[in-house]
């Protein structure tokens, strides 16, 4: 499968600070990426996506940045809250457009 | 949970026994997927379906089979369960190519 990985397995931040979660991918032909949030005991939930013709996309308190030159993806969470504590996965969509390849995940802990 | 129901939610079974997990969707989405999630590996695709009776293998399909006789149901069968198949299994659905996947709540399977 595609090689999608995360730089850091765990991340702790103070409540109110900004969080940055990173992801590297190997297939330069991939053109669709998604960030998911997974809380304990639940399935992954869609956060935000980005296509390869963009380098930045913003949602509510979240921003995804895509650097195709170095094949790097990041998720920025503004004003991190305790409810943001979860495992975050990036996913790369393969050339078929239907197969998702997930990284191993980063566990985010928000310290009150 | 985007109208996805997985059953059972928890199961303990003995090595060598057959096991079938069910995924039911009410969204009438064309694509359905089965993933397994293990520590250190993230989510890995087992099999997916792109329509009734149309299925294909993912990256970790050995020891698993699937069937889709109706749009709303996608079954995952372990013909003869092994301890290495102890995992959390997630079903996902997508509307089409290059769209986000919605996940079920997961099934925790333990093979003893």
């Amino acid at each position: 499968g595609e090689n999608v990985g995360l730089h850091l397995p765990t991340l702790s931040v103070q409540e109110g600070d900004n969080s940055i979660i990173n992801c590297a991918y190997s297939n330069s032909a991939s053109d669709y990426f998604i960030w998911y949030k997974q809380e304990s005991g639940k399935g992954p939930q869609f956060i935000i996506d980005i296509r390869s013709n963009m380098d930045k996309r913003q949602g509510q308190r979240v921003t995804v940045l895509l650097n195709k030159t170095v094949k790097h993806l990041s998720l920025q969470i503004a004003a991190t809250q305790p409810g943001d504590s979860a495992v975050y996965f990036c996913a790369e969509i393969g050339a078929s457009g239907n197969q998702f390849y997930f990284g191993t995940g980063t566990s985010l802990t928000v310290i009150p | 949970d985007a109208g996805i129901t997985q059953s059972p939610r928890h199961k303990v079974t003995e090595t060598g026994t057959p096991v079938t997990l069910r995924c039911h969707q009410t969204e009438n989405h064309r694509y359905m997927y089965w993933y397994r999630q293990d520590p250190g590996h993230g989510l890995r695709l087992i099999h997916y379906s792109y329509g009734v009776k149309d299925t294909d293998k993912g990256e970790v399909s050995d020891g698993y089979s699937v069937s889709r006789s109706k749009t709303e149901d996608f079954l995952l069968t372990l013909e003869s369960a092994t301890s290495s198949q102890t995992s959390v299994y997630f079903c996902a659905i997508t509307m089409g190519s290059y769209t986000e996947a919605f996940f079920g709540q997961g099934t925790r399977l333990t093979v003893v």
Side-chain angles (χ1 to χ4, degrees), chain A residues 12-25:
Chain A
S12 295
V13 298
Q14 290 289 141
E15 181 179 356
D17 288 351
N18 297 334
S19 303
I20 300 176
I21 301 171
N22 297 303
C23 178
Y25 63 95

Side-chain angles (χ1 to χ4, degrees), chain A residues 1-2 31-32 34 36 38 41-46 49 51 89 93-105, chain B residues 9 31 33 35 37 40-43 45 48 56-59 90 94 96-106:
Chain A
E2 312 297 347
D31 59 3
Y32 183 50
I34 301 178
Y36 283 93
Q38 186 176 25
K42 297 184 178 180
Q45 293 178 290
F46 171 86
D49 59 359
R51 300 191 186 271
F89 294 93
I93 312 313
S96 68
N98 300 313
Q99 293 199 35
F100 292 68
Y101 298 96
F102 287 83
T104 53
Chain B
R9 293 293 314 280
Y31 294 90
Y33 306 79
Y35 286 88
Q37 185 173 34
H41 290 280
L43 288 140
L45 181 64
Y48 69 101
D56 207 347
K57 296 179 179 180
E59 57 187 313
F90 286 98
T94 66
S97 300
Y98 297 103
T99 61
E100 67 267 29
F102 298 97
F103 286 83
Q105 291 280 58

Side-chain angles (χ1 to χ4, degrees), chain B residues 32-73:
Chain B
M32 299 185 75
Y33 306 79
W34 277 108
Y35 286 88
R36 61 178 289 174
Q37 185 173 34
D38 305 290
H41 290 280
L43 288 140
R44 291 180 291 173
L45 181 64
I46 305 172
H47 282 278
Y48 69 101
S49 170
Y50 45 95
V52 173
K53 295 192 168 84
D54 291 324
T55 65
D56 207 347
K57 296 179 179 180
E59 57 187 313
V60 290
S61 60
D62 287 348
Y64 302 94
S65 63
V66 289
S67 65
R68 192 168 179 200
S69 58
K70 298 185 290 185
T71 298
E72 58 265 36
D73 290 325

Side-chain angles (χ1 to χ4, degrees), chain A residues 5 50 84 86 103:
Chain A
I50 189 168
D84 295 327

Side-chain angles (χ1 to χ4, degrees), chain B residues 1-37:
Chain B
D1 296 327
I4 305 170
T5 304
Q6 290 186 230
S7 59
R9 293 293 314 280
H10 302 272
K11 186 171 182 66
V12 180
T13 192
E14 294 185 349
T15 299
T17 61
V19 177
T20 295
L21 308 183
R22 179 180 183 238
C23 178
H24 177 80
Q25 60 143 331
T26 58
E27 306 297 318
N28 201 37
H29 281 1
R30 178 181 173 190
Y31 294 90
M32 299 185 75
Y33 306 79
W34 277 108
Y35 286 88
R36 61 178 289 174
Q37 185 173 34

